Amino acid sequence: MHRQRTFFYLSTLIWLALVMPLSQAKGVIPTPKLHKAQDIERYYTRAMKGEQVILLENELEQFYALTLEQRTAEPKGGLLILHDKGHSPDWPYLLQQTRNFMPNVGWSTLSIDLPTPQRDALGRLSSSEADTASAEPETFEQWQERVLERIATGIATLNQDGLLNIALIGYGDGGYWASRYLAERLSEDEEQAYALILFDVSTEYDALPDYIAQLNIPMLDLYMADSDFAHKRAQDRKAAAARNKAENYLQIHDASRQQTYGNATIDRSTRRVWGWLRNNAAGAEANAVEKEAP
């Protein structure tokens, strides 16, 4: 008990030493989180993986992503990875394993950092910036547009790399955003080049089955939650696909994972994603077309 108390006191002192200088800095006030992207860049640079970090940009903002090029003689396509709410582009262990393993079987991966709503975030902003328009509270609609634009930017980045066969895999909330993006923005002419994987998709969104019903692309709905509510939501998604006569929709209820962190073995669910992509979405890499200068 004495050791536990000592460890707690030391941990508290270290935390205060890190936080107090920030809170006492001149002109700094609490605001929504602004620095997660820089944290990603610093972490991977220090881990000697800085080459995996890229900075993407659209009309709204800049943000970081993690990229890995496929490592085979027969490239299959690009895999855009969307993390769960409150997670990161390299969240252990299933997302992280997918991001690192899929290049071994021909899929280049791009895992983008999804924005946190300002109302839920932590961070700081200088008081001099607080009076500017950029410091105005972000509306819920503006945040949603940022999420969708980041997905669009991720897809465009893969296309620019010559990857025109695209699969989106969303974990938790990421599955909702992947479904919504494709339902709202994918044209009929583009359907043959896309696939969707829902990995333990969030059960919070009533509109998700409607988005699934609008899609006519290969879809894998893999979930692990075992509550009655989770099964009910899964049935709703499956029914929506059936009503739309989505023959390429497959739902699998997999067992939840315990005590598998740090295990070097490729997880069963990761292999299922790989196998499903191989049978339903594997394509060939295309050379990006460069426009001739006028």
Side-chain angles (χ1 to χ4, degrees):
M1 181 66 70
H2 177 70
R3 290 182 178 179
Q4 292 178 344
R5 289 179 177 176
T6 301
F7 176 77
F8 172 78
Y9 293 145
L10 288 174
S11 301
T12 302
L13 289 173
I14 292 172
W15 181 84
L16 289 173
L18 292 172
V19 173
M20 287 299 290
L22 296 178
S23 61
Q24 293 175 354
K26 183 178 179 179
V28 174
I29 59 176
T31 69
K33 180 177 181 179
L34 300 174
H35 303 296
K36 186 173 76 171
Q38 289 88 336
D39 293 340
I40 292 172
E41 181 190 28
R42 284 196 295 265
Y43 173 80
Y44 280 92
T45 300
R46 291 171 180 173
M48 301 182 70
K49 295 181 180 179
E51 71 281 358
Q52 296 182 20
V53 183
I54 60 173
L55 181 64
L56 302 181
E57 183 176 6
N58 56 38
E59 294 181 354
L60 300 178
E61 60 188 338
Q62 294 181 333
F63 61 98
Y64 285 98
L66 300 176
T67 181
L68 283 173
E69 186 177 2
Q70 68 88 24
R71 308 182 184 102
T72 72
E74 298 180 0
K76 305 302 182 184
L79 183 64
L80 183 65
I81 302 174
L82 308 179
H83 61 75
D84 196 3
K85 176 173 58 178
H87 290 185
S88 72
D90 198 37
W91 194 261
Y93 81 102
L94 291 175
L95 182 154
Q96 185 181 74
Q97 186 179 90
T98 299
R99 188 181 83 81
N100 287 286
F101 171 74
M102 293 308 294
N104 295 336
V105 292
W107 288 86
S108 296
T109 61
L110 179 64
S111 186
I112 64 175
D113 182 36
L114 295 180
T116 302
Q118 288 188 355
R119 64 186 183 185
D120 299 333
L122 299 173
R124 67 188 194 281
L125 185 69
S126 66
S127 58
S128 63
E129 294 173 307
D131 296 330
T132 65
S134 61
E136 294 179 359
E138 179 183 56
T139 66
F140 185 64
E141 290 73 20
Q142 289 172 329
W143 167 69
Q144 293 181 91
E145 184 63 20
R146 287 173 61 210
V147 176
L148 295 172
E149 283 303 311
R150 287 196 182 191
I151 297 173
T153 303
I155 292 173
T157 300
L158 292 171
N159 290 162
Q160 290 166 9
D161 291 338
L163 300 166
L164 305 182
N165 185 52
I166 304 296
L168 278 69
I169 179 169
Y171 293 79
D173 266 38
Y176 164 79
W177 288 110
S179 303
R180 176 173 170 178
Y181 176 88
L182 293 173
E184 292 183 354
R185 301 198 182 190
L186 190 65
S187 69
E188 186 175 346
D189 294 337
E190 296 174 311
E191 289 178 347
Q192 61 180 355
Y194 283 83
L196 172 64
I197 301 171
L198 306 177
F199 204 115
D200 223 10
V201 66
S202 173
T203 58
E204 296 180 10
Y205 300 97
D206 294 335
L208 180 57
D210 294 332
Y211 292 138
I212 291 175
Q214 297 177 46
L215 296 174
N216 188 29
I217 61 176
M219 289 179 281
L220 173 63
D221 185 352
L222 181 65
Y223 76 104
M224 299 179 184
D226 203 27
S227 67
D228 291 340
F229 184 65
H231 289 303
K232 173 63 169 59
R233 288 298 207 186
Q235 291 172 0
D236 292 342
R237 298 193 300 271
K238 188 174 183 179
R243 285 192 292 268
N244 191 43
K245 298 180 180 179
E247 298 179 356
N248 292 328
Y249 173 89
L250 174 64
Q251 185 177 93
I252 299 175
H253 179 234
D254 207 352
S256 61
R257 302 292 185 268
Q258 293 182 356
Q259 298 179 353
T260 49
Y261 290 88
N263 191 339
T265 304
I266 301 302
D267 185 85
R268 178 175 68 247
S269 293
T270 303
R271 291 186 178 277
R272 278 181 165 164
V273 169
W274 169 28
W276 183 84
L277 284 172
R278 183 178 61 237
N279 296 327
N280 295 274
E285 184 177 33
N287 294 323
V289 178
E290 296 183 359
K291 294 182 179 179
E292 296 182 0

